[in-house]
Amino acid sequence: MSDHAPANRKVKTVIDGREIEVARDTWALDAAAKLKIRIPTLCHHAALTPYGACRLCVVEVTKGKSTWLTTACDLPIREGLSICTNSPAVLAARRMTLELLWAQAPASEEIQALAREMGIAKPRFAARGDGENRCILCGLCVRACEQLGAGGAIGFTRRGVERTVDSPFGGQATLCIGCGSCLAVCPTGHIRGIDRAGQRRMSTWHTEMEMAACESCGALFAPLRQLEHLRPRLAEHIPIVKVCPACRRAKAAKETTLPARPGAALIRNTRK
Amino acid sequence: MARKPRVLTVDESRCLACQQCMTECALAHSDAANLVEAMRSGQAQPRLHVEAVGHFGMPIQCRHCEDAPCAAVCPTEAIYRPAPHSPVLLDADRCIGCRSCMYACPFGVIDMAREGKAVVKCDLCIRRTAQGEEPACVAGCPTKAIQFRELDDWLAQRRHEAAKLVAAGNETPNPSEKG
C-alpha cells in the first residue's frame, strides 16, 4: 500500500457546525456517524456499495457560494464541504421522501415506525397498488446478493412504476444459494423465506432448494447449494463439515475433555 | 508495546456446568446495565456454550483459529483479524447475514443474532481486556475452570506435565503428533 494514495489524504469538513478530519472520499454518512450524528437511512449498509436509493439521508451541502441538497450515503467528503443534516430544507425534503415511501410500501412496519419517529401520524398520499407492498426498491438485497459472489440471483426488472426486484423472469432463481442475506438486509420486511418439508423456500424469489441433513442428528441445517458454494472458498485442508453447528460443539467438547485416565489427554493426538 | 498473546484455557475437571460463563458473556455483550435489563431488551445472547459431556460440562467457544475458516468465507470481510495475534473479530455492521461463517466454523461457535440481521461470535472481550480486565466468562467462572492465560506459560505447563508422564513411563508421545 502506498502512503501517497490520494484516498489516504485527510480533509477537513464541517458537519452541523462541528469540524472533523477524515480520509478524503469518506462517505458523508460515515463521517457524520463518527461525530455521533445520526442521519436516518434505509438503503445503506457498511459492506455494500452506496446506492442513494431511499433518499432519506438527504443533507444540505455548501461549497463556496453554492448550496444544494444531496444524499449523504454517496457523497464523498472533499476539501471545503460544509454539511448540515437538519436544516429546515433538509427536514422538509426528508419528510416528503418518507411520505412517498409510505405510499410506496404502506404495509411495511419499519416505514410506519420511522414515520411515527418523524412525527408523521398518517399517510398523506394514497397507497400504491393493493396496499400490501413492502418493497421500496432500495436494492440492498440485490447488492448483498452480488457481494456474495454466487453470481447475483436476483435483480431489478421492468421499468418506471412497474419496477420490481425479482428472480429472472419470475421463475426459480437458479443462482440462489438460499443463504438468506437478502432477507437479513431488507430494511422493510419485504422478503420472505421459510424452511418447510426439508426445503428452503425463498418465496419472494419463487425459489426452493434442498437442505443438507446433519450426519449426526439429522437436523436440516444448511442449503446444499450454499455448502457447495463455500467449498472452493475454504483452504483445501479444511473439510466442509457435514454436521450441524450444535453437533460440532458437542463433538469439540467430547474430544477435548479428559478420557478416563487422568493426564492422557495431554499428549493425545486430538486432530483425528 | 506488544502484549503477549493470551488464550482461554479450560480445566474441564473444575467445570460445574453452571453456565455462569454464558450469562456473564451475554451480559458483557449487551448494552444493558444488568442481566434483567439485558433479557428484557432481547439482545442478551452468549457467545459461548456449555456442552454436556456425559455427566460433565465443557464450555466451548471460538478458538480464534490461525487460519480462520469463518474469515476465509466471509464475503464482506466482516470477520477479520486486525493483527497477527489478535482475536478473530466481527464487524457486525459489515455482516450481511449469509451464515457462511456458521457453516464453515469447525466448532459451531458462531450464531445468528436474535434479530436475524447479523451473526454473533466471541471477541475474547477485547474491550474488557484493553482495560486490563479479564474476559467476562473468565471473571464470572466460580471455580476458575476457564482461565485467560499467556500462551507461552500455558504451553510450558503442558510440556512440563507431558514430560513428567513420559518420565514416569506412563505414556509415550504420539509420533504422528507434530508441533
Side-chain angles (χ1 to χ4, degrees):
Chain A
M1 254 210 298
S2 163
D3 289 334
H4 306 291
N8 289 349
R9 233 173 64 200
K10 295 276 182 181
V11 292
K12 277 186 189 147
T13 186
V14 177
I15 305 178
D16 288 350
R18 291 158 67 190
E19 196 178 84
I20 183 175
E21 197 180 56
V22 292
R24 186 175 189 264
D25 288 345
T26 300
W27 303 117
L29 195 71
D30 297 331
K34 279 186 186 163
L35 288 170
K36 304 242 184 301
I37 295 170
R38 190 181 157 262
I39 301 173
T41 172
L42 286 171
C43 75
H44 183 71
H45 192 288
L48 304 173
T49 318
Y51 191 59
C54 77
R55 318 306 291 178
L56 279 179
C57 67
V58 64
V59 290
E60 197 171 82
V61 187
T62 306
K63 186 174 186 182
K65 284 179 185 165
S66 28
T67 293
W68 68 99
L69 290 180
T70 190
T71 42
C73 67
D74 55 358
L75 171 73
I77 299 277
R78 300 280 167 86
E79 196 69 55
L81 290 188
S82 166
I83 295 163
C84 178
T85 72
N86 54 10
S87 72
V90 166
L91 295 181
R94 193 175 287 156
R95 191 183 170 93
M96 170 65 98
T97 301
L98 193 62
E99 287 181 304
L100 290 167
L101 287 175
W102 198 346
Q104 159 80 10
S108 168
E109 284 162 22
E110 288 82 354
I111 299 264
Q112 290 162 21
L114 207 53
R116 275 196 300 273
E117 204 179 297
M118 281 196 204
I120 308 168
K122 54 182 190 351
R124 173 148 61 120
F125 305 111
R128 276 189 53 196
D130 55 7
E132 289 304 311
N133 185 38
R134 287 183 173 83
C135 179
I136 56 165
L137 300 171
C138 74
L140 264 182
C141 52
V142 178
R143 283 177 281 154
C145 193
E146 273 170 13
Q147 185 71 35
L148 207 71
I154 51 171
F156 285 107
T157 178
R158 302 196 195 95
R159 296 186 196 180
V161 292
E162 292 188 345
R163 191 164 160 91
T164 57
V165 178
D166 208 343
S167 54
F169 308 106
Q172 285 260 355
T174 48
L175 293 174
C176 176
I177 58 169
C179 70
S181 290
C182 48
L183 204 151
V185 296
C186 178
T188 54
H190 168 66
I191 299 166
R192 301 288 142 136
I194 192 171
D195 291 344
R196 191 186 288 155
Q199 301 271 309
R200 171 150 297 179
R201 296 186 184 188
M202 300 304 299
S203 2
T204 312
W205 317 130
H206 328 286
T207 300
E208 283 181 33
M209 67 194 69
E210 212 181 316
M211 296 288 280
C214 169
E215 286 183 354
S216 180
C217 73
L220 301 167
F221 73 100
L224 269 176
R225 282 192 202 166
Q226 187 170 5
L227 295 186
E228 283 161 22
H229 169 76
L230 294 179
R231 175 64 277 176
R233 284 161 177 78
L234 283 168
E236 259 176 37
H237 64 276
I238 298 170
I240 279 283
V241 191
K242 299 212 173 101
V243 296
C244 70
C247 288
R248 295 178 202 187
R249 289 196 296 271
K251 186 165 168 276
K254 210 172 152 191
E255 283 180 355
T256 45
T257 43
L258 284 170
R261 193 157 37 101
L266 292 172
I267 45 177
R268 186 180 48 141
N269 187 353
T270 52
R271 289 196 193 153
K272 295 238 165 83
Chain B
M1 182 204 72
R3 198 172 283 160
K4 284 186 178 168
R6 298 209 281 175
V7 291
L8 286 181
T9 65
V10 177
D11 180 352
E12 64 273 22
S13 65
R14 299 176 81 95
C15 177
L16 302 171
C18 69
Q19 308 192 354
Q20 183 69 16
C21 49
M22 292 171 65
T23 309
E24 296 285 347
C25 178
L27 180 59
H29 292 96
S30 76
D31 300 327
N34 58 55
L35 193 61
V36 177
E37 224 177 84
M39 301 284 280
R40 280 207 188 110
S41 74
Q43 51 163 250
Q45 196 171 357
R47 272 64 169 158
L48 81 169
H49 300 262
V50 175
E51 292 293 320
V53 187
H55 293 295
F56 300 98
M58 173 79 188
I60 294 291
Q61 77 289 316
C62 175
R63 298 323 205 224
H64 300 278
C65 306
E66 215 166 275
D67 183 10
C70 53
V73 297
C74 181
T76 61
E77 292 170 19
I79 299 185
Y80 64 107
R81 187 195 298 276
H85 289 296
S86 132
V88 177
L89 300 180
L90 165 77
D91 179 351
D93 287 344
R94 292 188 64 85
C95 176
I96 55 171
C98 72
R99 298 168 195 244
S100 297
C101 51
M102 291 169 58
Y103 304 144
C105 174
F107 303 101
V109 289
I110 304 181
D111 292 311
M112 202 66 191
R114 293 247 163 74
E115 79 276 22
K117 294 277 180 195
V119 293
V120 293
K121 78 176 286 298
C122 165
D123 58 0
L124 267 187
C125 282
I126 46 156
R127 268 187 288 179
R128 290 172 59 100
T129 52
Q131 293 169 358
E133 288 179 82
E134 291 190 305
C137 53
V138 175
C141 180
T143 60
K144 301 273 174 269
I146 311 182
Q147 296 196 6
F148 192 49
R149 305 180 53 183
E150 276 182 14
L151 182 60
D152 290 346
D153 285 356
W154 182 67
L155 289 176
Q157 185 195 320
R158 301 266 291 187
R159 276 197 300 273
H160 184 66
E161 285 168 3
K164 270 205 296 196
L165 280 173
V166 175
N170 287 341
E171 188 72 76
T172 50
N174 187 336
S176 69
E177 176 90 76
K178 283 191 189 108

